[in-house]
Amino acid sequence: MPAKNMDEIVALCKRRGFIFQSSEIYGGLQGTYDFGPLGVELKNNLKNAWWEAMVYENDNIEGLDSSILTNPLVLKYSGHEDTFSDPMVDCKSCNLRFRADQVPEHCKDEDLTEPRQFNLMFKTNVGPIEDGSNYAYLRPETAQQIFTNFKNVLDSTSKPIPFGIAQVGKAFRNEITPRNFIFRVREFEQMELEYFVMPGEDEDAHTLWVQKRVEWWDKQGVPTKSLELYDVPTEELAHYSKKTVDLMYKFPHGLEELEGIANRTDFDLGSHSKKQDELNITSKVNVNKHSNSKMAVQNESGDWVVPYVIEPSAGVERGFLAIINEAYTDEELEDGKSRIVLKLKPHLSPVKAAVIPLKKNNEDIVNTAKNIKDDLQKIGLGRIILENTGNIGKSYRKHDEIGTPLCITVDFDTLDDNSVTIRDRDTMSQKRIQISDLANYLIELVKK
Ligand code: ATP
């Protein structure tokens, strides 16, 4: 059962150290957030789950980590300099600026200016001379540097088509109205795959990737029944797209895009290529006068072919929000009390297990607990913590709220028989097991 509203999620994220407003002590910076001790763990776990599903589970997908600062020519030929903009209007009554499709109800039509285009890219000066001629962009998507590295990756890995390049990293967009917590921000992370196929194989590959991405979200705790597939109508398609399916999720503020899966045709490689007239490009590309590379492969007959690209592109922050929203549970208990529990999939939990000494000042109990923590930490499943507050009830409540799947309590009996009490987050059931069985128990739990 998802959270009732965004406020509950925002409050939990702040209270427990998942997400803070960026530059908070100076009044913040709109559209930016900082991920706290638990947020960074959950975010890394989510990115790792994506990386594993893409790069490790597919021998024909390779990884990349390209620069954020981008040569303006990349974004000229990609079309971003000309078209990456949103329509903006001013309200003469409240003196605020809005994206034309996001004007609040209280602004009257007669108070609004005509929409004008506003480019969403951040430009920055490069080097010590600020005369406006030495600039770069902060990348507005991770995709473009995947395209510019297409030949490098292909030549260094000798992969036949179809093959893919995956990248996770920051992207920046000067959104006119950032809002809804981390849903729409100016600095965010994307998890993008560019999957290169031969023309003619693109439609099947697109259908397959939509299906795979829905299945992956299900494994992260965003069930298929919570997603709606939106087949973007032709008039709304981006200039490069032949078909796009958006995975729409009911966020606390409404149904919105979590991930887009686009068939980008041969537009990108074609646009970044030299000698375009030799390449049988099917899409309407920008004429390229600067590239020194032919972004094409030779088919069996020796003809040059520009591969088509299928792109599943997901936002890390939007994934984070959907996952927390799905996991958030306000549960009535039998004794009339209630608890908040984050029913995260264990592989995503920021803390995998908490080891709790029953008495915080008993040296034998605390040392045994420390040893258990150290041993479990070495397995490499993620963070294990020693929770030495001396208050078991409070520790359980905390770990329910942050989604720790397992609490392990060390007590006086442990010193005699090497057994500990384990408590399951979701069922709250407790049982005793031997310390020597803990590692396997936790591995099984986190693997699920
Ligand atoms: P929207 O229509 O919501 O502005 P978009 O269609 O421009 O999104 P894409 O360009 O397809 O988004 O980017 C791919 C993914 O990157 C999106 O599905 C989303 O998860 C994420 N994303 C895009 N813009 C933002 C943003 N401003 N803040 C957080 N995540 C974003």
Side-chain angles (χ1 to χ4, degrees):
M1 183 191 56
K4 283 197 282 302
N5 55 50
M6 190 76 95
D7 291 346
E8 285 182 333
I9 294 179
V10 175
L12 174 79
C13 284
K14 165 104 203 230
R15 183 168 74 244
R16 292 298 184 188
F18 282 93
I19 298 173
F20 309 121
Q21 189 186 9
S22 180
S23 313
E24 191 177 5
I25 63 166
Y26 293 110
L29 175 67
Q30 222 199 346
T32 57
Y33 286 91
D34 296 339
F35 286 78
L38 297 180
V40 63
E41 296 292 339
L42 172 49
K43 207 176 181 215
N44 283 343
N45 293 340
L46 180 63
K47 291 188 283 183
N48 287 340
W50 186 90
W51 196 260
E52 267 182 38
M54 290 297 180
V55 183
Y56 297 171
E57 288 175 19
N58 296 287
D59 284 340
N60 68 343
I61 296 181
E62 298 291 332
L64 182 76
D65 183 17
S66 68
S67 73
I68 287 170
L69 291 173
T70 308
N71 183 328
L73 288 174
V74 174
L75 295 153
K76 169 185 165 69
Y77 288 112
S78 67
H80 283 81
E81 274 195 337
D82 291 335
T83 61
F84 195 61
S85 53
D86 277 337
M88 174 175 74
V89 293
D90 290 313
C91 172
K92 288 178 227 156
S93 166
C94 62
N95 289 324
L96 291 175
R97 241 168 211 179
F98 302 101
R99 210 166 105 170
D101 59 348
Q102 294 174 352
V103 178
E105 275 173 17
H106 63 257
C107 298
K108 297 199 206 86
D109 280 353
E110 58 265 32
D111 291 334
L112 300 176
T113 58
E114 280 299 308
R116 57 199 187 285
Q117 291 301 319
F118 172 74
N119 194 296
L120 301 180
M121 287 198 293
F122 282 100
K123 214 174 191 180
T124 191
N125 194 62
V126 176
I129 300 162
E130 277 197 54
D131 64 359
S133 63
N134 297 311
Y135 65 92
Y137 291 111
L138 303 189
R139 63 184 180 201
E141 59 180 25
T142 70
Q144 290 307 320
Q145 303 276 48
I146 295 184
F147 301 131
T148 58
N149 277 293
F150 170 72
K151 273 286 187 185
N152 286 334
V153 178
L154 199 65
D155 293 347
S156 57
T157 63
S158 316
K159 287 275 185 311
I161 305 281
F163 97 113
I165 305 179
Q167 175 159 230
V168 177
K170 292 265 185 180
F172 300 82
R173 295 183 187 181
N174 198 2
E175 296 280 354
I176 298 166
T177 33
R179 57 179 166 179
N180 297 318
F181 194 35
I182 55 170
F183 176 83
R184 184 174 303 286
V185 281
R186 292 188 168 131
E187 174 175 342
F188 55 99
E189 284 190 84
Q190 290 183 314
M191 305 181 283
E192 295 196 300
L193 169 71
E194 306 304 325
Y195 194 73
F196 304 98
V197 297
M198 285 304 201
E201 288 167 9
D202 53 306
E203 291 179 10
D204 285 350
H206 183 263
T207 309
L208 190 68
W209 275 108
V210 172
Q211 188 192 328
K212 279 179 177 237
R213 296 305 300 144
V214 170
E215 286 165 10
W216 184 81
W217 282 112
D218 187 64
K219 287 189 195 148
Q220 312 314 314
V222 183
T224 307
K225 66 174 168 42
S226 303
L227 291 178
E228 245 176 61
L229 267 53
Y230 178 64
D231 205 336
V232 178
T234 316
E235 63 277 14
E236 284 177 31
L237 285 176
H239 60 283
Y240 51 74
S241 174
K242 168 172 161 186
K243 183 178 170 77
T244 295
V245 172
D246 287 343
L247 306 187
M248 308 293 283
Y249 173 73
K250 194 159 182 352
F251 287 96
H253 61 280
L255 187 72
E256 295 229 43
E257 177 182 330
L258 167 67
E259 168 163 359
I261 299 122
N263 181 343
R264 298 183 71 128
T265 67
D266 56 1
F267 175 82
D268 300 283
L269 293 181
S271 288
H272 287 303
S273 203
K274 70 172 181 182
K275 299 192 177 166
Q276 291 164 317
D277 45 358
E278 295 174 9
L279 297 178
N280 278 325
I281 299 169
T282 61
S283 58
K284 216 169 137 256
V285 293
N286 302 315
V287 179
N288 197 315
K289 298 194 191 103
H290 293 89
S291 169
N292 59 24
S293 180
K294 222 177 191 176
M295 298 290 191
V297 293
Q298 275 175 301
N299 66 13
E300 281 151 14
S301 347
D303 301 325
W304 287 99
V305 180
V306 179
Y308 270 43
V309 180
I310 307 302
E311 175 197 68
S313 170
V316 176
E317 282 73 6
R318 290 188 190 180
F320 190 113
L321 190 55
I323 284 165
I324 289 227
N325 187 49
E326 284 295 325
Y328 189 102
T329 315
D330 192 345
E331 208 169 69
E332 295 287 327
L333 302 176
E334 279 169 8
D335 57 7
K337 292 189 182 142
S338 66
R339 67 168 184 155
I340 290 171
V341 52
L342 265 195
K343 295 192 170 177
L344 294 170
K345 296 280 181 191
H347 71 277
L348 295 178
S349 292
V351 176
K352 302 299 183 223
V355 189
I356 311 171
L358 182 71
K359 288 266 175 264
K360 75 178 199 188
N361 296 324
N362 182 299
E363 214 177 303
D364 292 338
I365 290 183
V366 173
N367 282 340
T368 306
K370 271 188 191 150
N371 290 338
I372 292 174
K373 180 232 140 96
D374 289 347
D375 287 346
L376 292 180
Q377 193 63 71
K378 281 182 203 140
I379 313 171
L381 293 171
R383 192 151 189 214
I384 313 289
I385 64 172
L386 182 78
E387 191 65 77
N388 197 13
T389 60
N391 184 333
I392 302 269
K394 221 169 155 185
S395 298
Y396 284 165
R397 258 199 311 286
K398 169 182 165 185
H399 285 282
D400 283 347
E401 265 195 39
I402 69 171
T404 307
L406 195 69
C407 284
I408 301 162
T409 303
V410 179
D411 56 20
F412 289 102
D413 287 345
T414 312
L415 304 179
D416 292 334
D417 64 4
N418 287 322
S419 71
V420 287
T421 299
I422 54 171
R423 173 187 181 270
D424 181 88
R425 175 195 69 196
D426 296 346
T427 62
M428 293 190 295
S429 65
Q430 302 189 10
K431 65 177 176 187
R432 299 271 316 168
I433 71 168
Q434 286 293 301
I435 294 174
S436 53
D437 292 335
L438 273 174
N440 279 339
Y441 190 91
L442 194 60
I443 291 168
E444 283 304 310
L445 187 68
V446 174
K447 242 182 21 194
K448 269 199 285 193

